[in-house]
Amino acid sequence: FMSTWAEKIPGVRPSERAYVGFLNRLRADVFDSMVKDAERTGHALDGPLLRKISEYVNTASGRGGLGSMERAAVILNTAMFSPRLFASRIRLLNPALYIRSDPVVRRQAIRSLLGMGSLAATVLGLAKMSGADVVVDPKDPDFGKILIGDTRLDMFGGFLPFIGGPNTGTRLEAVGRFARTKASPTLGLALDLLDQKDMAGNPID
């Protein structure tokens, strides 16, 4: 949490520590595994390669670098919902990652992408065969999701908003809607009050 106020709520601070600790351990384990793969294939474990591996591990786990905007991370967190996750998804969808990366990183990136896609497609297929509603229209906001009543299940880890096309209006309007979905809760509430309706178009007071 960006605010220290949240830590004053009973249970929040240890929950946050457990969450951060688990993710750090996960990242460290994946890093160690990729280093061992590099050793087995005869790559020199120099500083540049280790930095590339660590950058990929952070990106793949939703902790993308902000580049020149790194110093504005706190401001971005105030306006956006998880800007690092947003940056990581953009980078993982960039073909340059799979073309120009070091062979060690490229191999892991392709393996992870194919693994996630195969698993998600399998789950979607099984869900549809089980009678669940699976949206296959790329222009539908729920494209690629499993619908069970009012619940949406996204098996693609946050990549779908970058893949589907606009279902209504112009592309510019679609970009505006997309940007609004990335607003932080505080900014999102302000936008709802200004617009007098929520993201779904329901009037608010």
Side-chain angles (χ1 to χ4, degrees), residues 89-104:
R89 294 305 177 247
I90 293 291
R91 183 165 184 235
L92 289 172
L93 288 172
N94 185 352
L97 173 67
Y98 306 93
I99 297 172
R100 302 175 186 169
S101 294
D102 185 278
V104 175

Side-chain angles (χ1 to χ4, degrees), residues 2-29:
M2 296 302 296
S3 170
T4 56
W5 292 357
E7 294 181 353
K8 301 183 184 302
I9 301 173
V12 168
R13 189 172 184 181
S15 172
E16 182 180 41
R17 288 173 61 187
Y19 179 79
V20 172
F22 169 77
L23 278 181
N24 287 342
R25 175 59 190 267
L26 176 65
R27 291 181 178 117
D29 287 345

